[in-house]
Amino acid sequence: MTIIEPAAGPVLPPDVDERTFRAAIAAFGDAIGDENVHVDDEHVRPYDDRFPVTDGDEFRPSAVLWPGSTEDVQAIVRIANEHLIPLHAFSTGMNLGYGGSAPRVAGSVLLHLGKRMNRVLEIDERLAYAVVEPGVDYASLYRAVQDSGAKLMIDPTELDWGSPLGNTLDHGVGYTPYAAHAMWRCGMEVVLADGSVLRTGMGGMPNSDAWHLYQGGLGPSVEGLFEQSNYGICTRMGIQLMPAPPESLSFVISFENEEDLAAIMDTTLPLRIGMAPLQAAPIVRNVTFDAACVSTRDHWYDGEGPLPREAYQAMMTELDLGYWNVYGTCYGPRWLIDRYIEMIRDAYLAIPGARFDTTETVTPGTPRAELLAARDQLNNGIPNRHSSAVFDWFPNAGHFFYAPVSSPSGEDAAAQFADTKRISDSYEIDYLAQFIIGLREMHHICLPLFDTADPDSRARTLEMTRELIRAGAERGYGIYRAHNVLADQVADTYSFGDHAQRRFNERIKDALDPNGILNPGKSGIWPARLRGRGL
Amino acid sequence: MTIIEPAAGPVLPPDVDERTFRAAIAAFGDAIGDENVHVDDEHVRPYDDRFPVTDGDEFRPSAVLWPGSTEDVQAIVRIANEHLIPLHAFSTGMNLGYGGSAPRVAGSVLLHLGKRMNRVLEIDERLAYAVVEPGVDYASLYRAVQDSGAKLMIDPTELDWGSPLGNTLDHGVGYTPYAAHAMWRCGMEVVLADGSVLRTGMGGMPNSDAWHLYQGGLGPSVEGLFEQSNYGICTRMGIQLMPAPPESLSFVISFENEEDLAAIMDTTLPLRIGMAPLQAAPIVRNVTFDAACVSTRDHWYDGEGPLPREAYQAMMTELDLGYWNVYGTCYGPRWLIDRYIEMIRDAYLAIPGARFDTTETVTPGTPRAELLAARDQLNNGIPNRHSSAVFDWFPNAGHFFYAPVSSPSGEDAAAQFADTKRISDSYEIDYLAQFIIGLREMHHICLPLFDTADPDSRARTLEMTRELIRAGAERGYGIYRAHNVLADQVADTYSFGDHAQRRFNERIKDALDPNGILNPGKSGIWPARLRGRGL
């Protein structure tokens, strides 16, 4: 964990003197109650990045606000405009590996939306959707749906503490047929930088019953604008939910060799692209990731340098896994599941050495069964935090992210694996990864684990990830999401047309937020006022 | 058809004198070749709205341009900025019922993108997508896919002359599992109002292979901005295609009574929302629409006033249809289709008087078989223009649109039907309609047919549609798309937050197009320069 040193006073935002800052804090207090405005270390430091790859000073906030309503957020935004206070709005701040709740600009005032705005506003079983505030996490959404009795299935992410609203806005993905979260969000309420409230799509029509049912409306579809951006603060969102299937059956398929990856991908694509027999995004996970979910690193190796071949072999043998392991689930009536399972099994077993199990055939009590059970939960909409065991892979372990998106071809997967493994080994950082296979694209989610208490480990992790981004971009592999410390570098790689995307994003930014108060620098988008200042 | 009178000279755009206009036309000619720039009636008048509900003068263009490339479009936009020429860009202009290729602002220069930019740029069978230019229509995309040998299925709209790119941008829908076109568009190239080119999402990453595979990228998802708007000119688009299913089977289900509508909807929703057994959007069509596809009105009635009860009864009897007829298709291996068909049949046959047929049971050679065959084609990705027979319902028939979106509930459908039928009857305009049932929403597509050569018929149609929009909005039913003549009225109905959507749209418009040259007034979005001038 990062070392907390007492600070002399709050870090001030750019262009703001202490007197102005104090005036803004007082105004925030008047607007939302002093008990919801904090500048003291005791309240502010817990918002530091839990897995920092730098010493964190450049991402130090000045204060935190706990709004209780959309009106509170409107009032805060108006005050921030008046005093030029940069606000760093976030839902739950549990976006670990992507900076958590730390702001991009030092001195920003944190807007912890989820602290008090954490209600499930609506669950509609018949039309299969829910409406959530930013602070609802997957665990509480799951409970709310269960308590309501609605036969609906949520699509959780890897860890249950994430916010469905926040995750969706950041282009997060899950593992059920509703895995592409951006595809199933519908209907937002957004506080704009001028303090006004926008309801998107059919939400513009008074009394419409289709706000959370139909993504369009009249004119442009603007919801995508609020994803991964700093154009507004989303205070509620509709999330469409899959009707709970009558039955399901999960499977794990293990493959012996590193080199099997290309064949796995090329087998997956035709099974997946028609949404049958692979109805949901399967994951292809390497054994190190699996091992880190059920054991600690020293159990396999305690020498210097990267994990040796023998360690991988031991993991595979002892955990009864392959080097790559595919996890997935079939849904529907049993007659359908049985046919789909058969088609899937037959396809993958054509790869020599492949081994196929379902929850019904796996040996109970084994790590293989435990790992499959954890996936089976997620794939059935039951959030858990099984994978959080990776934070115990070694003492003080935290993780970073490198996650390029590409075609789900064997060739791309093999190229990405080769580059990433080679570079990881050269930095002596373990390669833990899972590929998530959408319909036509894959996310290659790499979790570089590092010692958060060791400055050298932190620095190496950052340096390695920067190299991975450069090497990936050379081959056309773009990152789909970026930590604060990486945002400018990643934005730079989206360079077509002499950085046409950046110019476009900046133009929208300046139009919607002329004072540049909302999450400046997020995704590499800087407002005019702070642009080019090397923040 | 509308009466063409020789014009004295081109209608000039607002704020543009004849000298400036001539200079602009000359510059357009220098940029893209004089042979691609036309101001004469012979070339310009064919772009008039084919189904005008007014005398058309307020939607009269001044000239037409035929760009041949993205670079041409860039050059045109730069010249238009210089001379303040409003451009009305469109793909094929076959958006009949929504104004065709007529501009919102008189004197606009038409930018007929599809005239020369009509190539299918790419077809990828393995990753199941195509890349198209604006001028590709459904018929030619179908042929291109067939010619390539790729086992892919396109999702055509009702008539084969539409443009997949244009239709998608206007939130069009089809009838296969890929019916929600906006959901399957991926990767756009857009010429912005400043003449620069933006490639969206992964298109910003040089060498990415995921431009047409993954809708995201880094930062905001901006593609939705270019739908139904006037923020840029889309010059190419990726469209994801469904892998062709091994087999399919289409069905028609007929229901005897007007009052069955609510039960039909409430039966449909649970079958549809889980994407099985109704894998694609079914349509629920009234018998008048069906009749107009296979006969003329005078066959059923040649008196005054609305169609009498006896005429409906005669249609049902003679055409072997119900008052409502549901058409749909199941896809997959035969064992799956048989189970799904059984589930669908059993569910709908619970409604008294319902009759169920598939393409295998319907009596060949009957109108019922012909209508089912036409739907079977569309639902299998084979474009046709079977429904264009409605333009022969009576002499000089053209159609308008009234198409609200709402929850797909029986209650909403019954309320919409009651209002629309009552108002249609009072204006003596036939009610022709089909409901298209998405997962959680329905489009109620009403086609008021009128005599395009009769000023009174035109005026009544416009007046009736304005009343339908008002009546619908009172109940919360919003229109998903608007004809030029209706755009301001419809935009007004999206009034939440003192017209927050309009203010937001205008702010983006002014940022991206400060001179207001792109499709001013489209979807009720006016640029600052032309706002509030009663155009």
Side-chain angles (χ1 to χ4, degrees):
Chain A
M1 285 293 142
T2 183
I3 299 143
I4 298 183
E5 290 165 13
V11 186
L12 295 174
D15 306 336
V16 174
D17 61 24
E18 185 151 353
R19 187 196 181 95
T20 306
F21 179 76
R22 294 288 164 203
I25 293 296
F28 289 137
D30 289 347
I32 68 168
D34 290 334
E35 70 281 14
N36 296 312
V37 178
H38 302 279
V39 292
D40 55 301
D41 273 8
E42 188 194 346
H43 284 91
V44 177
R45 298 305 293 269
Y47 289 100
D48 284 352
D49 187 354
R50 292 196 205 177
F51 300 149
V53 290
T54 69
D55 64 14
D57 279 344
E58 70 273 50
F59 306 123
R60 189 81 68 214
S62 57
V64 62
L65 310 179
W66 295 341
S69 65
T70 298
E71 293 71 27
D72 278 0
V73 176
Q74 292 180 267
I76 288 166
V77 161
R78 293 197 185 105
I79 295 164
N81 263 302
E82 206 177 313
H83 301 279
L84 293 185
I85 305 289
L87 297 171
H88 179 72
F90 58 91
S91 299
T92 57
M94 294 304 287
N95 201 0
L96 306 182
Y98 284 116
S101 45
R104 173 65 185 84
V105 170
S108 292
V109 169
L110 302 175
L111 195 51
H112 184 183
L113 299 163
K115 179 76 177 181
R116 295 169 61 213
M117 297 173 73
N118 52 19
R119 291 172 302 166
V120 177
L121 298 170
E122 193 181 350
I123 294 172
D124 188 312
E125 179 175 21
R126 194 155 157 277
L127 293 161
Y129 71 87
V131 183
V132 295
E133 290 189 324
V136 173
D137 59 23
Y138 284 100
S140 53
L141 179 58
Y142 172 73
R143 277 196 310 274
V145 172
Q146 293 305 110
D147 291 350
S148 77
K151 291 189 177 54
L152 299 172
M153 190 167 101
I154 72 168
D155 185 283
T157 48
E158 194 71 26
L159 299 168
D160 64 357
W161 53 49
S163 153
L165 184 151
N167 180 277
T168 301
L169 288 179
D170 261 334
H171 289 170
V173 292
Y175 310 103
T176 78
Y178 277 37
H181 293 170
M183 190 176 269
W184 300 101
R185 57 131 176 80
C186 189
M188 290 183 190
E189 178 180 85
V190 181
V191 175
L192 300 174
D194 64 4
S196 66
V197 174
L198 178 73
R199 289 189 171 183
T200 60
M202 302 305 289
M205 168 71 53
N207 307 319
S208 171
D209 61 11
W211 188 17
H212 304 299
L213 304 179
Y214 175 64
Q215 285 192 340
L218 183 78
S221 297
V222 305
E223 291 185 7
L225 271 192
F226 302 105
E227 294 168 3
Q228 289 197 355
S229 79
N230 46 21
Y231 296 158
I233 299 170
C234 183
T235 48
R236 71 167 69 181
M237 181 190 282
I239 293 182
Q240 299 178 338
L241 303 175
M242 178 169 152
E247 289 189 62
S248 74
L249 187 61
S250 295
F251 56 84
V252 54
I253 322 170
S254 299
F255 303 88
E256 291 181 355
N257 310 300
E258 287 186 15
E259 299 71 30
D260 293 334
L261 181 62
I264 296 169
M265 291 297 168
D266 290 335
T267 301
T268 303
L269 176 56
L271 301 177
R272 176 75 188 110
I273 200 165
M275 290 189 264
L278 282 174
Q279 299 150 290
I283 62 167
V284 183
R285 199 144 76 154
N286 82 332
V287 70
T288 318
F289 196 149
D290 271 338
C293 291
V294 293
S295 65
T296 56
R297 190 177 198 270
D298 57 9
H299 180 80
W300 310 104
Y301 184 60
D302 60 2
E304 296 283 303
L307 290 169
R309 187 140 212 91
E310 300 71 41
Y312 293 115
Q313 198 51 59
M315 290 176 200
M316 289 162 61
T317 307
E318 199 171 315
L319 302 176
D320 193 19
L321 293 171
Y323 185 85
W324 299 107
N325 300 282
V326 172
Y327 297 89
T329 300
C330 292
Y331 307 87
R334 186 69 199 213
W335 57 266
L336 183 70
I337 291 173
D338 287 343
R339 295 296 291 261
Y340 281 173
I341 285 283
E342 193 179 302
M343 292 162 77
I344 294 165
R345 189 193 58 212
D346 291 351
Y348 284 110
L349 289 187
I351 299 173
R355 289 183 303 119
F356 186 96
D357 271 311
T358 68
T359 42
E360 293 172 351
T361 66
V362 72
T363 310
T366 60
R368 183 175 177 84
E370 178 189 334
L371 286 156
L372 178 54
R375 303 319 299 180
D376 181 58
Q377 279 196 318
L378 292 180
N379 295 0
N380 281 286
I382 305 167
N384 65 40
R385 55 183 68 176
H386 187 261
S387 298
S388 70
V390 301
F391 307 142
D392 299 320
W393 184 233
F394 47 74
N396 298 314
H399 78 91
F400 212 44
F401 269 123
Y402 168 68
V405 166
S406 74
S407 133
S409 72
E411 194 184 347
D412 279 333
Q416 287 179 26
F417 170 59
D419 282 357
T420 311
K421 181 71 163 54
R422 175 177 46 73
I423 293 171
S424 298
D425 281 353
S426 76
Y427 281 88
E428 301 189 1
I429 292 172
D430 295 339
Y431 170 76
L432 275 77
Q434 61 188 24
F435 294 86
I436 305 177
I437 321 296
L439 290 182
R440 287 170 180 76
E441 107 303 323
M442 68 184 180
H443 288 64
H444 177 198
I445 312 280
C446 304
L447 276 80
L449 288 171
F450 65 100
D451 182 345
T452 56
D454 173 8
D456 173 63
S457 178
R458 298 204 297 247
R460 262 189 300 129
T461 301
L462 177 56
E463 201 185 326
M464 176 192 75
T465 309
R466 291 204 184 281
E467 183 172 337
L468 287 169
I469 291 167
R470 276 193 301 273
E474 269 172 37
R475 291 188 191 254
Y477 301 134
I479 306 301
Y480 88 107
R481 196 169 176 181
H483 187 286
N484 277 334
V485 77
L486 299 172
D488 291 327
Q489 181 191 2
V490 178
D492 264 344
T493 64
Y494 286 81
S495 61
F496 173 85
D498 192 20
H499 299 277
Q501 286 194 359
R502 168 175 293 154
R503 286 197 311 279
F504 185 83
N505 291 343
E506 288 177 350
R507 196 177 278 209
I508 303 279
K509 178 66 176 169
D510 293 341
L512 295 179
D513 181 13
N515 292 322
I517 56 158
L518 298 188
N519 295 51
K522 164 95 182 168
S523 297
I525 304 170
W526 291 95
R529 182 167 69 90
L530 302 175
R531 208 169 286 152
R533 287 174 56 174
L535 290 173
Chain B
M1 285 292 139
T2 182
I3 299 141
I4 297 182
E5 290 165 14
V11 185
L12 295 175
D15 306 335
V16 174
D17 61 24
E18 184 150 355
R19 185 196 183 99
T20 306
F21 179 76
R22 295 286 165 206
I25 292 296
F28 289 136
D30 290 346
I32 68 168
D34 289 333
E35 70 281 15
N36 296 311
V37 178
H38 302 280
V39 292
D40 55 300
D41 274 6
E42 187 193 348
H43 285 90
V44 179
R45 297 304 292 270
Y47 290 98
D48 284 353
D49 186 355
R50 292 198 205 175
F51 300 149
V53 290
T54 69
D55 65 14
D57 278 344
E58 69 273 52
F59 307 123
R60 188 82 66 216
S62 58
V64 63
L65 310 178
W66 296 340
S69 65
T70 298
E71 293 71 26
D72 278 0
V73 176
Q74 292 180 269
I76 289 165
V77 161
R78 292 196 186 104
I79 294 163
N81 262 302
E82 207 177 311
H83 301 279
L84 293 186
I85 304 289
L87 297 170
H88 179 73
F90 59 90
S91 299
T92 57
M94 295 303 286
N95 201 0
L96 307 183
Y98 284 115
S101 45
R104 174 65 185 82
V105 170
S108 291
V109 170
L110 302 176
L111 195 51
H112 184 184
L113 299 163
K115 178 78 178 180
R116 295 168 63 215
M117 299 174 71
N118 51 18
R119 293 172 302 166
V120 176
L121 298 169
E122 193 181 349
I123 294 173
D124 188 312
E125 179 175 22
R126 196 156 155 275
L127 293 162
Y129 70 88
V131 183
V132 295
E133 290 188 325
V136 173
D137 59 23
Y138 283 100
S140 54
L141 179 57
Y142 172 73
R143 278 196 309 273
V145 171
Q146 293 306 109
D147 291 350
S148 77
K151 290 188 177 56
L152 298 172
M153 188 167 102
I154 72 168
D155 185 284
T157 48
E158 194 71 25
L159 297 169
D160 64 356
W161 53 50
S163 153
L165 184 150
N167 180 278
T168 300
L169 288 179
D170 261 334
H171 289 169
V173 293
Y175 310 103
T176 79
Y178 277 38
H181 293 169
M183 190 176 269
W184 300 100
R185 56 131 174 81
C186 189
M188 291 182 188
E189 178 180 85
V190 180
V191 175
L192 300 175
D194 65 3
S196 66
V197 174
L198 177 73
R199 289 189 170 181
T200 59
M202 302 305 288
M205 166 74 50
N207 307 320
S208 171
D209 61 8
W211 187 17
H212 303 300
L213 304 178
Y214 175 64
Q215 286 192 340
L218 184 77
S221 297
V222 306
E223 290 185 7
L225 270 192
F226 302 106
E227 294 168 3
Q228 290 198 354
S229 79
N230 45 21
Y231 296 158
I233 299 170
C234 183
T235 49
R236 71 166 69 181
M237 182 189 282
I239 293 182
Q240 299 179 338
L241 303 175
M242 179 170 152
E247 291 189 63
S248 73
L249 187 60
S250 297
F251 56 84
V252 54
I253 322 171
S254 299
F255 302 88
E256 292 180 356
N257 311 300
E258 289 187 15
E259 300 70 32
D260 292 335
L261 181 61
I264 296 168
M265 291 298 168
D266 289 335
T267 301
T268 303
L269 176 56
L271 300 177
R272 175 73 188 111
I273 199 165
M275 290 190 263
L278 282 174
Q279 299 151 289
I283 62 168
V284 182
R285 199 145 76 155
N286 82 332
V287 70
T288 318
F289 196 148
D290 271 338
C293 290
V294 293
S295 64
T296 54
R297 192 177 197 270
D298 57 8
H299 180 78
W300 309 104
Y301 184 61
D302 59 2
E304 295 286 302
L307 291 167
R309 187 141 213 91
E310 300 71 43
Y312 293 114
Q313 196 52 58
M315 290 176 200
M316 289 163 60
T317 306
E318 198 171 318
L319 302 176
D320 193 17
L321 292 172
Y323 185 86
W324 299 107
N325 301 283
V326 172
Y327 297 89
T329 300
C330 291
Y331 308 87
R334 186 70 199 213
W335 56 265
L336 184 69
I337 290 173
D338 287 343
R339 295 297 291 261
Y340 282 174
I341 286 282
E342 194 179 301
M343 292 162 78
I344 293 165
R345 190 193 57 210
D346 291 351
Y348 285 109
L349 289 188
I351 299 173
R355 289 184 302 119
F356 185 96
D357 271 310
T358 69
T359 42
E360 294 172 350
T361 66
V362 73
T363 310
T366 60
R368 183 175 176 83
E370 178 190 332
L371 286 156
L372 178 55
R375 304 318 299 179
D376 181 58
Q377 280 195 319
L378 292 180
N379 294 359
N380 281 287
I382 305 167
N384 64 41
R385 56 183 69 175
H386 187 262
S387 299
S388 70
V390 302
F391 307 142
D392 299 318
W393 185 232
F394 47 74
N396 298 314
H399 77 89
F400 211 45
F401 269 123
Y402 168 67
V405 166
S406 73
S407 132
S409 71
E411 194 184 349
D412 279 332
Q416 287 179 25
F417 170 59
D419 282 357
T420 310
K421 181 72 163 51
R422 175 177 45 76
I423 294 172
S424 298
D425 282 352
S426 77
Y427 281 86
E428 300 188 3
I429 293 172
D430 295 339
Y431 171 76
L432 275 76
Q434 61 189 24
F435 294 86
I436 305 177
I437 319 297
L439 290 182
R440 286 170 181 78
E441 108 302 324
M442 67 183 184
H443 289 62
H444 177 197
I445 312 280
C446 305
L447 276 82
L449 287 171
F450 63 101
D451 182 345
T452 56
D454 173 8
D456 172 63
S457 178
R458 298 205 297 250
R460 261 189 301 130
T461 301
L462 177 56
E463 199 185 328
M464 176 192 75
T465 309
R466 289 204 185 281
E467 182 173 339
L468 286 170
I469 292 167
R470 277 192 301 274
E474 268 172 37
R475 292 187 191 254
Y477 301 133
I479 306 301
Y480 88 107
R481 198 169 177 179
H483 187 288
N484 277 334
V485 77
L486 299 173
D488 291 326
Q489 181 192 2
V490 177
D492 263 345
T493 64
Y494 286 81
S495 62
F496 174 83
D498 194 21
H499 299 277
Q501 287 194 359
R502 168 175 293 154
R503 286 196 312 278
F504 186 83
N505 291 343
E506 288 177 350
R507 198 178 276 209
I508 303 280
K509 177 65 176 171
D510 293 340
L512 295 178
D513 182 12
N515 292 323
I517 56 157
L518 299 187
N519 296 50
K522 165 98 180 165
S523 297
I525 304 171
W526 291 94
R529 181 167 69 90
L530 302 175
R531 208 169 287 152
R533 287 174 55 174
L535 291 171

